[in-house]
Amino acid sequence: MNTYQEARQWLKDFTTSDIRPGLDRVKMMLEGLGNPERRLKGIHVGGTNGKGSTTAFLREPMKEASLVCGSFTSPSVYDYRERIAVNGESISEHDFLECVKAVKPVAESVAKTPFGTPSEFEVLTVIAAHYFAAKAFPDVVIWEVGLGGRLDSTNAIYPMISVITNIGHDHQHILGETIEEISREKAGIIKSGVPVVTCETNRAALSVIDRSASEANAKLYQMTKDFNIVGAKSNENGSSFSFHSLLGNLNDLDISMLGRHQTKNAAAALMVFRYLKMYYALPVEEEHIRTGLKKAVWPGRLEYRDSKPPILLDGAHNKEGMESLAEALKEHFHERPIHLIVGMTKEKNPEELLAPFAGLPVSSAAAVPFAGERSAQAETIAENSPFDQMLALPDWETAWEKVQNQAGTNDIVVIAGSLYFISEVARKMK
């Protein structure tokens, strides 16, 4: 193995694509490498939506404070290596190759045990831990949960503090059908004595999170109780708000991410900073926070592109994500005619997923497939959507070309759905 391409191919060929929840394989691999994760200070970010945005709201103020911030996120939008990054810069091909070489014999050894071959995400988690501990040496690492929480491979990490952004309907075939069942999986990242911050306000979900925190003797910092958003206002460039908490206030803050719901994710990050400053002396000051919040962006999440016509890219892949997208369109784009291009995975219900757009000025709607076996057929989406005239088209390029020919100067094109679909569009439009 001498090249990055060979390392990527080994990872693809070696790992299993089956989702087999459990921490045994990842813990064995980490132990085989001398438990590199124990040499890292971490923040664990879980929840249904908003994990990536929260990661950005945490990373940018730390960068402003001249701290080195590692991040492990998924899925990638532009390049596979962006999943493992330092200060937002992807791991280099050389370092990825070297880390794969270090992890390869350990992973292959674990594959011979009764626990079986590790998944790609499990091996990648271990590659990230090795990279951060042996090569990059960041001050803090932000670990984003891949799926669920309790049995996600990132849950092998013991952080300084955890975040649960919110609980919504996603991956029900794995995590459970009810909010309570999904909440139990998400709350599985809560560890003994490790405080947890949550933006969730749903009573059923909060009850599960509160109980899990109590059982773990973990302090719970809860929105509307321990911290709050005051005077949130949307504008064409993002939102402004004030943050009030039992650990101090910050007034008149600005963020550039679109959608008022992003103020909740920013508030979660602020609560984390307040805690880490008080108990770990993290040197992130007010000026770092103000500048960092404004700089924070996350690709593929309400990402505005000033093309002709303008595009809004959003990986709204579940009911709650679509509701936030619809609300953001009302806040920032008012009555501008909308041309909708949607791609989603097979397990989604198109009628339910697209229902939030019912009251919006949708001028045209098109369903498209994307590369990969998880993609729903365009015909299936169109037939089951709430839009009578939704077209089923062969690919997003066809839909985009069609929209360019019919959209007015004040119109906006919304490309939304699965993050795998958004990644495909973003890479080709870059």
Side-chain angles (χ1 to χ4, degrees):
M1 189 184 295
N2 298 306
T3 67
Y4 166 72
Q5 287 72 25
E6 288 174 342
R8 280 285 289 117
Q9 193 61 48
W10 171 81
L11 188 61
K12 183 178 178 181
D13 294 342
F14 169 73
T15 53
T16 176
S17 59
D18 296 336
I19 296 176
R20 293 172 298 142
L23 298 177
D24 296 300
R25 290 175 295 275
V26 71
K27 284 184 175 179
M28 290 172 70
M29 286 188 284
L30 288 169
E31 186 175 350
L33 287 166
N35 291 109
E37 81 285 359
R38 295 180 184 174
R39 304 197 294 275
L40 303 168
K41 291 183 173 67
I43 301 169
H44 202 187
V45 180
T48 302
N49 297 312
K51 297 188 292 291
S53 300
T54 303
T55 296
F57 287 131
L58 287 165
R59 181 188 65 206
E60 293 304 319
M62 284 195 269
K63 283 172 61 179
E64 290 300 312
S66 298
L67 293 172
V68 180
C69 179
S71 56
F72 179 65
T73 59
S74 63
S76 51
V77 175
Y78 293 109
D79 185 276
Y80 187 85
R81 292 178 293 112
E82 72 194 42
R83 297 176 180 216
I84 303 170
V86 172
N87 284 352
E89 295 294 323
S90 303
I91 182 174
S92 68
E93 292 188 359
H94 175 267
D95 284 342
F96 188 92
L97 170 63
E98 292 302 305
C99 290
V100 167
K101 284 181 179 179
V103 171
K104 182 175 181 286
V106 177
E108 290 174 344
S109 176
V110 169
K112 295 174 183 177
T113 70
F115 295 105
T117 304
S119 71
E120 179 182 2
F121 191 75
E122 288 169 343
V123 177
L124 200 61
T125 303
V126 176
I127 289 171
H130 175 74
Y131 171 65
F132 293 137
K135 290 183 176 290
F137 311 110
D139 297 297
V140 179
V141 178
I142 306 166
W143 298 92
E144 181 190 324
V145 171
L147 190 155
R150 182 174 65 93
L151 298 175
D152 186 79
S153 64
T154 61
N155 211 23
I157 309 300
Y158 206 92
M160 298 181 288
I161 189 168
S162 302
V163 180
I164 298 174
T165 55
N166 53 55
I167 309 293
H169 294 84
D170 204 13
H171 301 294
Q172 289 101 311
H173 59 297
I174 298 171
L175 305 180
E177 291 296 330
T178 69
I179 284 293
E180 289 84 358
E181 289 173 329
I182 297 170
S183 298
R184 277 192 286 275
E185 293 300 317
K186 302 287 185 182
I189 69 171
I190 298 174
K191 296 180 175 64
S192 178
V194 177
V196 58
V197 173
T198 186
C199 303
E200 186 54 74
T201 54
N202 177 282
R203 285 187 179 182
L206 263 178
S207 176
V208 175
I209 295 170
D210 189 35
R211 186 165 60 251
S212 298
S214 295
E215 290 170 354
N217 195 27
K219 169 64 179 173
L220 176 62
Y221 293 100
Q222 178 186 327
M223 179 170 276
T224 71
K225 182 180 176 183
D226 303 296
F227 66 99
N228 213 341
I229 296 165
V230 178
K233 295 178 183 177
S234 299
N235 55 61
E236 61 181 17
N237 299 313
S239 298
S240 61
F241 69 102
S242 293
F243 170 81
H244 291 183
S245 79
L246 51 76
L247 297 181
N249 303 335
L250 284 169
N251 294 318
D252 303 319
L253 299 163
D254 295 305
I255 59 173
S256 300
M257 289 196 209
L258 300 180
R260 197 178 300 183
H261 65 282
Q262 294 290 10
T263 61
K264 290 185 177 181
N265 299 323
L270 292 173
M271 193 67 232
V272 169
F273 284 132
R274 282 299 189 226
Y275 173 84
L276 293 179
K277 184 172 180 62
M278 178 167 284
Y279 294 101
Y280 284 86
L282 190 77
V284 177
E285 307 297 341
E286 181 176 336
E287 62 267 27
H288 304 136
I289 289 172
R290 288 188 180 279
T291 306
L293 289 187
K294 208 164 185 178
K295 286 184 177 180
V297 294
W298 198 248
R301 276 70 162 191
L302 286 168
E303 181 182 342
Y304 181 79
R305 297 190 175 205
D306 193 17
S307 55
K308 292 183 179 180
I311 294 172
L312 192 65
L313 273 176
D314 192 49
H317 56 284
N318 54 33
K319 176 174 173 282
E320 290 79 8
M322 282 292 184
E323 287 172 347
S324 294
L325 170 57
E327 194 59 37
L329 285 165
K330 293 175 189 175
E331 291 169 7
H332 298 286
F333 300 99
H334 308 295
E335 295 301 314
R336 290 172 66 173
I338 295 166
H339 300 271
L340 188 61
I341 301 174
V342 175
M344 61 182 70
T345 52
K346 293 176 182 176
E347 70 272 11
K348 303 299 182 184
N349 180 333
E351 185 173 10
E352 181 182 276
L353 201 66
L354 298 173
F357 285 85
L360 295 175
V362 177
S363 292
S364 71
V368 297
F370 57 90
E373 60 182 26
R374 292 188 63 191
S375 174
Q377 293 183 346
E379 292 75 14
T380 302
I381 299 171
E383 288 168 8
N384 295 282
S385 85
F387 302 109
D388 294 335
Q389 303 302 318
M390 185 173 229
L391 299 176
L393 298 176
D395 49 57
W396 70 265
E397 289 100 334
T398 302
W400 170 236
E401 185 177 341
K402 192 176 184 67
V403 165
Q404 284 178 299
N405 292 328
Q406 68 185 58
T409 55
N410 193 46
D411 296 6
I412 184 162
V413 180
V414 177
I415 303 179
S418 166
L419 281 166
Y420 297 102
F421 168 53
I422 296 303
S423 175
E424 181 181 305
V425 176
R427 285 198 306 271
K428 291 184 180 179
M429 278 193 166
K430 191 173 181 181

